[in-house]
Amino acid sequence: MSDDFDPNTVEIRNAATVMLVRDADGDPGVEVFMLRRTGKASFAAGMYVFPGGRVDDVDHADEIEPFCQGLDDDDASRQLGIESGGLAYWVASIRECYEEAGILLAGKRDGSALAIRDDDRHAVHDGTLSMVDLCKRDDLILDLSTTQYVDHWITPKGEPRRFDTRFFVTEAPAGQDGLHDDKETVESLWIRPADALRMQAAGELMMMPPTIKNLRWLEAFDAASEAVDAGAEITDPITILPKARLDESGKMIGVAMPWDSDYAEL
């Protein structure tokens, strides 16, 4: 970070992240899909994350709404506590999931089998194919009613990149196992939340606080459907804005959460 870095000028960008869950094999529980970001990433380098990213202009396109069912912009915006544009967060979560994980949260309008093509995934990622055009070409429907909004985090002031991120949970479609894109993400795995937390505590998986908190939430469920149903009951997630802990020189040495004793003093 350069000496002339001014934390007051950093733009806070809107983002969406989706926790893909499925029933675990053997004992009751869920598995969640996680990706490791490349060490060259400008944000969260090397971290294990859920699929997600910035809400782009293409996600706000009016043309996408006719291909969405189970949710409209008014209801989506109400859930997020914003005036308008809420539907774009759900669309972004689907787009990012397809780009980063190769999992398409959509169905054919006529109920026929869905074709998943790597070429389409990469074309959506590089911007040569929009979700609108993909839906038009393949007559797809995005069922947003099964994707639930469950958490809200804002990157602390002092970071060179800041995001206002909404977290969603949904059940992974049957037959879609997912795979990292070998660009922004370099490893992927399905893992029980308890195992991911154990590996994080042991230093085997690097994670950010929002990921850890949501893994703890997922840990309680015996089935993927239970997690999604519980997500539907969350009506007004608290916005969590960590604050930076600084040393005498002004260097960030950690973060404080709203429930920490020193939070109000920072």
Side-chain angles (χ1 to χ4, degrees):
M1 192 181 301
S2 63
D3 294 336
D4 59 357
F5 169 70
D6 183 358
N8 295 306
T9 63
V10 176
E11 177 187 3
I12 301 178
R13 300 176 176 179
N14 295 327
T17 291
V18 59
M19 294 178 282
L20 290 161
V21 293
R22 69 183 186 187
D23 292 343
D25 291 332
D27 294 334
V30 304
E31 292 179 333
V32 62
F33 188 76
M34 301 192 73
L35 300 156
R36 183 168 72 86
R37 291 179 58 79
T38 175
K40 300 177 181 179
S42 55
F43 182 79
M47 296 285 182
Y48 276 83
V49 298
F50 309 121
R54 188 173 63 185
V55 178
D56 289 337
D57 290 342
V58 293
D59 303 315
H60 287 278
D62 292 338
E63 294 89 347
I64 194 68
E65 190 159 2
F67 299 97
C68 299
Q69 72 177 23
L71 193 70
D72 59 22
D73 190 69
D74 288 343
D75 189 36
S77 301
R78 178 189 57 75
Q79 289 189 44
L80 300 182
I82 60 179
E83 290 188 5
S84 63
L87 193 69
Y89 288 81
W90 271 261
V91 173
S93 73
I94 290 174
R95 177 183 53 75
E96 288 285 351
C97 186
Y98 190 36
E99 291 179 8
E100 293 192 344
I103 292 177
L104 182 56
L105 300 172
K108 296 279 287 184
R109 192 184 299 269
D110 63 6
S112 60
L114 183 66
I116 308 294
R117 305 178 184 90
D118 270 350
D119 287 348
D120 288 344
R121 169 192 182 180
H122 297 305
V124 170
H125 190 280
D126 64 27
T128 58
L129 177 67
S130 70
M131 290 299 297
V132 171
D133 289 338
L134 180 64
C135 289
K136 286 180 178 178
R137 189 196 71 192
D138 291 353
D139 200 21
L140 301 181
I141 289 293
L142 311 180
D143 185 2
L144 307 184
S145 67
T146 59
T147 299
Q148 309 299 338
Y149 168 48
V150 298
D151 208 2
H152 183 197
W153 287 70
I154 300 176
T155 312
K157 186 176 179 179
E159 292 284 358
R161 288 177 177 263
R162 300 185 67 195
F163 295 93
D164 183 330
T165 306
R166 312 292 180 140
F167 283 74
F168 300 86
V169 65
T170 194
E171 192 165 355
Q176 295 193 49
D177 291 330
L179 185 66
H180 52 280
D181 62 11
D182 263 339
K183 295 178 181 177
E184 295 181 8
T185 57
V186 293
E187 292 182 24
S188 55
L189 74 165
W190 285 97
I191 189 169
R192 287 178 181 262
D195 291 338
L197 291 166
R198 174 182 53 77
M199 295 175 72
Q200 185 275 330
E204 298 173 41
L205 303 180
M206 292 193 301
M207 299 178 198
M208 294 179 291
T211 308
I212 295 170
K213 176 180 177 290
N214 279 286
L215 284 170
R216 289 173 177 158
W217 178 72
L218 287 174
E219 191 178 8
F221 302 110
D222 288 336
S225 60
E226 290 182 11
V228 175
D229 289 345
E233 296 298 317
I234 299 175
T235 57
D236 190 17
I238 297 172
T239 301
I240 300 176
L241 173 58
K243 292 182 179 180
R245 290 190 176 109
L246 308 176
D247 63 15
E248 293 181 355
S249 68
K251 180 181 178 181
M252 183 184 293
I253 56 174
V255 294
M257 298 299 167
W259 49 85
D260 291 333
S261 59
D262 61 339
Y263 182 84
E265 303 169 4
L266 296 173

